[in-house]
Amino acid sequence: MTDIPRRAISRTARLASLPLGFAGRTALGFGKRITGMAGDVISAQVQERTAEQLFSVLGQLKGGAMKLGQALSVFEAALPENLAGPYRAALVKLQEAAPPLPAASVHKVLASELGPRWRQRFKEFDDKPTAAASIGQVHRAVWKDGRDVAVKVQYPGAGDALVSDLKQLGRFAALFGALQPGLDVKPLVTELRERVVEELDYTLEAKAQRAFAKAYAEDDEIYVPSVVAGSMRVLVTEWTDGTPMAKVIADGAEDERDHAGRLMATLHFSAPKRCKLLHADPHPGNFRMLDDGRLGVLDFGAVARLPYGLPKPIGRLTRLSLDGEADLVLQGLRDEGFVPADLEIDAQAVLDFLLPMLEPIAKPEFRFSRAWLRGEATRIANPRSEAYQLGKKLNLPPSYLMIHRVTLGSIGVLCQLEAKAAYREVLEKWLPGFGD
């Protein structure tokens, strides 16, 4: 493979090679099982083959296909354990690696972006990539001044690939529904379509990373590597050593996972206040635990720009819910557009719907877990449940869509970590309206 398959017909053919027949037959079964209803057991071998094929095709296509796979991978914690294993293994691969581009293709991009004498900018450059992302891959190198650096190189044809993928992926919702029952993929694809094209311009990513680095300079909990150089399709930053978050999830001791979880929550809620940005790609491949205990944060291609920080009504309504103020909560949700103005609905029923979701901050400490997330998924996604019926009546205003998705993704990582921490304390410090 010399570059990304660009033409829509070529990429659609590869997407079509995914086991859609399998997905169509089993999505209903997966959905029934996660919602607690009866369903036939699916062969573990079939699941494993399906997962491996999913990784292979999404990884080779890269672009929007791989990005959607990465976005979905953080939700694997909601799957029942007997169904999650094969998909977890394949999706973790998507988080950390993908089939690499040949060195010759990488060199062409570097020459185009940094000039024909690009090698003179480096003392050393490793042609073998250390990581692969949805629209680029990362190489380790030594900058001309002796600094160890990470060089992110955009795949040739990434722009065409994104446009093609985001037109086609909506047709394959059944496949992704098999991976995450209860997840409505269409809004996710729509949001990706609207925002992901920004990631093609690495100068925007460099600007966001510089803002984060400045906001967390000398911070004793969060570390953001400095930007060294950049262009539209190449970004050079200081190299970050550390333990990948995926390894902490898999092998970390309890205290290590707890510490990582608290820092993840701190980043999520503090960044909008400190730099008016929200890191919007919370999959484990973007985080490292440094030897000094700090959380290393990578990849700022996907950010939400929040010039006024997180909306104050989020904190206010969260606190009112915990205080049991059902009528005030309902009115606040109407004001923000979560409850249609003409919908007659019982205020206490709405509060009862919300409170289980707020359990992690209802007490001083809480341990996230896959079991807790599966329980919430079952409660909300089971068509027989009152929560499901009520949830269908509520709206998600477009202005909250990105914040909602990133929060869910962060919760998914916390559940993978099974991390215990004082999350309420984090909100009291950083979430506007919550501690007032």
Side-chain angles (χ1 to χ4, degrees), residues 59 70 72 123 152 157 169-170 182 187 232 246 273 311 326:
Q70 289 176 334
L72 290 171
K123 284 189 174 182
K152 185 157 76 167
L169 281 171
M232 279 283 293
K273 186 171 183 177

Side-chain angles (χ1 to χ4, degrees), residues 20-32:
L20 296 178
F22 167 83
R25 291 192 302 273
T26 63
L28 180 59
F30 272 53
K32 287 181 177 178

Side-chain angles (χ1 to χ4, degrees), residues 309-318 320 327-341 354 394-401 403 432:
L310 287 170
K312 192 170 184 178
I314 294 178
R316 177 177 174 271
L317 291 173
T318 300
L320 287 172
D327 291 334
L328 291 176
V329 170
L330 177 58
Q331 184 57 53
L333 292 174
R334 285 194 194 277
D335 292 343
E336 293 301 304
F338 289 94
V339 177
L354 294 174
L394 304 180
N395 294 329
L396 181 59
S399 60
Y400 283 92
L401 180 59
I403 295 170

Side-chain angles (χ1 to χ4, degrees), residues 259-342:
H259 179 63
R262 185 181 67 80
L263 296 186
M264 286 284 295
T266 299
L267 172 72
H268 177 83
F269 287 103
S270 67
K273 186 171 183 177
R274 295 177 69 166
C275 58
K276 310 304 181 187
L277 295 168
L278 176 68
H279 187 285
D281 197 4
H283 73 79
N286 287 338
F287 302 98
R288 302 284 185 271
M289 291 306 302
L290 278 56
D291 290 342
D292 63 9
R294 288 182 295 173
L295 175 71
V297 188
L298 312 175
D299 198 335
F300 296 85
V303 297
R305 292 168 178 83
L306 301 171
Y308 304 104
L310 287 170
K312 192 170 184 178
I314 294 178
R316 177 177 174 271
L317 291 173
T318 300
R319 189 57 177 257
L320 287 172
S321 297
L322 293 176
D323 291 344
E325 299 286 354
D327 291 334
L328 291 176
V329 170
L330 177 58
Q331 184 57 53
L333 292 174
R334 285 194 194 277
D335 292 343
E336 293 301 304
F338 289 94
V339 177
D342 59 351

Side-chain angles (χ1 to χ4, degrees), residues 71-79 180 183 188 373 405 408-409 416:
L72 290 171
S73 69
V74 300
F75 295 106
E76 59 83 11
L79 288 170
Q180 179 52 39
L183 175 66
L188 181 60
L373 188 58
R405 180 181 69 78
L408 286 179
Q416 292 177 23

